[in-house]
Amino acid sequence: MKNLYKLKHIITCMVLSASVMFAGNPDRQGEAGAGELLLNPWARSAGLHTINTSSITGLESMRLNIAGLGRISGKQVVVSNARLFEGSDLRLNSFGYAQRMGKNGAFGVSIMAVDFGDINVTTTGQPEGVGATYSPSFFNMGIGYSHTYDNKISVGLLLRGISESLPEVSAFGFAIDAGVQYVSGEQDNFKLGISLRNVGSPMNFSGQGLAFQTTNPDSETPYLVTVTQRSQDFELPSVLNIGISYDFHFTEKLMLRALGNFTSNAFSRDQIGAGLEFSFNKMFMLRAAYKSDMGSTDSGESNIYSGLSGGASVELPFNESRKNMIGIDYAYRSTNTYRGTHNFSIRFSF
């Protein structure tokens, strides 16, 4: 009863906080910046279209529901690469480290960077390029902590620093994620998860790249002056996820998990999704999911990630005790434009 009271209190606080942010203002759709915060670099959760809010565990939970971080048993290192929107030449590189702290806590650090490749520098006089290139730097780093109460309720909090820069222009900001997971049943079959992500102050670009020289128009003797432009602030793409799942244990080695999830986007259409994950002996896993936008999409304002996704994982032991494991994950997600996104991850657990 004490744990249930804690769960109700936590969920109530999160829902009340979210109701202030997600006040139903459709005019704000498409106005958020820092869209990379919505990208998922990790292959295991990407194979489920990032809808496993209730069941996600380990380092990958730092991108969806930080509460799941507390359910690791030791240490974990994950390296990931994603080919974003096949045909666009965009890449997503990530690294993360997590470890158990004490009996009930866990701490994690994750880093993600977007690789835009080399872009030609052009001017109005040389639209084909001046012979030089540049590459934008979009980078964010998260530090999170999760605590588990009696293996039933997990709560977590994450602070993320966000950096976006081009030559002589940059923006920096902070975001906070919070999450909760509840587990119940004889074999922990039923799971409930709620996460609130990307809550932070507005960001804006500044730097010498926004300044230019012009002739002073108010002087009889013309001279050059430097004029600095101020950029418009932009909000972070806040998201509320609510998910449930149920595990069907057919034998000691065979398990099928059914998942459902609702995503409320502050700056785009809400989404609903469902998926299945099959596991054999906790070593071989197959997963698939479907996610769809809610409401009419006649105006062309649909999210880029909708439709089918799928993935697979292989987890092999380092030694006979099976305490040290290496996992290889792959995922594919369909997109409304381009030719989908491919995710690859390598995970070390020890």
Side-chain angles (χ1 to χ4, degrees), residues 148-166:
T148 303
Y149 299 93
D150 298 331
N151 196 42
K152 293 298 181 183
I153 301 175
S154 298
V155 295
L157 191 68
L158 179 142
L159 176 65
R160 194 184 309 279
I162 309 145
S163 173
E164 300 182 350
S165 64
L166 289 86

Side-chain angles (χ1 to χ4, degrees), residues 80-317:
S80 182
N81 173 266
R83 288 159 47 191
L84 287 172
F85 318 135
E86 189 68 32
S88 69
D89 294 329
L90 291 173
R91 298 291 185 268
L92 200 61
N93 300 307
S94 299
F95 171 82
Y97 172 80
Q99 71 171 41
R100 194 80 177 171
M101 293 187 65
K103 184 179 179 180
N104 298 313
F107 168 82
V109 179
S110 66
I111 299 171
M112 188 190 82
V114 183
D115 181 4
F116 292 88
D118 294 327
I119 302 173
N120 291 326
V121 176
T122 61
T123 65
T124 54
Q126 295 177 283
E128 298 299 324
V130 299
T133 62
Y134 74 97
S135 181
S137 175
F138 280 34
F139 169 90
N140 61 76
M141 176 178 178
I143 301 175
Y145 177 80
S146 176
H147 188 86
T148 303
Y149 299 93
D150 298 331
N151 196 42
K152 293 298 181 183
I153 301 175
S154 298
V155 295
L157 191 68
L158 179 142
L159 176 65
R160 194 184 309 279
I162 309 145
S163 173
E164 300 182 350
S165 64
L166 289 86
E168 298 186 338
V169 178
S170 62
F172 187 80
F174 288 97
I176 295 176
D177 294 1
V180 58
Q181 284 182 338
Y182 174 70
V183 176
S184 182
E186 294 182 2
Q187 296 177 285
D188 292 340
N189 306 74
F190 175 78
K191 298 176 178 67
L192 167 69
I194 299 177
S195 69
L196 188 60
R197 300 191 56 239
N198 306 331
V199 180
S201 59
M203 296 173 57
N204 65 75
F205 283 93
S206 61
Q208 290 298 315
L210 296 177
F212 65 95
Q213 285 191 327
T214 186
T215 303
N216 183 13
D218 299 325
S219 175
E220 294 181 359
T221 304
Y223 61 91
L224 292 177
V225 296
T226 300
V227 179
T228 300
Q229 304 174 90
R230 289 186 292 181
S231 67
Q232 177 68 40
D233 292 351
F234 58 87
E235 301 285 344
L236 301 182
S238 303
V239 178
L240 172 68
N241 284 289
I242 303 174
I244 60 172
S245 63
Y246 192 87
D247 298 344
F248 299 91
H249 295 272
F250 301 109
T251 67
E252 188 176 337
K253 295 183 178 181
L254 292 178
M255 188 270 289
L256 180 67
R257 174 174 292 156
L259 308 100
N261 193 83
F262 168 74
T263 301
S264 179
N265 294 295
F267 293 92
S268 61
R269 292 189 177 277
D270 296 341
Q271 292 183 297
I272 190 168
L276 294 172
E277 184 174 31
F278 172 78
S279 173
F280 173 72
N281 200 28
K282 297 182 180 179
M283 295 179 63
F284 305 99
M285 282 147 275
L286 295 173
R287 53 187 69 92
Y290 184 85
K291 186 158 64 172
S292 176
D293 293 347
M294 300 181 67
S296 174
T297 59
D298 295 337
S299 60
E301 296 175 350
S302 57
N303 292 283
I304 191 169
Y305 281 119
S306 60
L308 291 170
S309 71
S313 296
V314 177
E315 199 149 345
L316 303 173

Side-chain angles (χ1 to χ4, degrees), residues 61-88:
S61 63
M62 297 183 70
R63 208 67 193 178
L64 176 59
N65 186 352
I66 182 61
L69 181 66
R71 298 189 179 276
I72 62 173
S73 57
K75 300 177 182 178
Q76 197 173 79
V77 175
V78 184
V79 180
S80 182
N81 173 266
R83 288 159 47 191
L84 287 172
F85 318 135
E86 189 68 32
S88 69

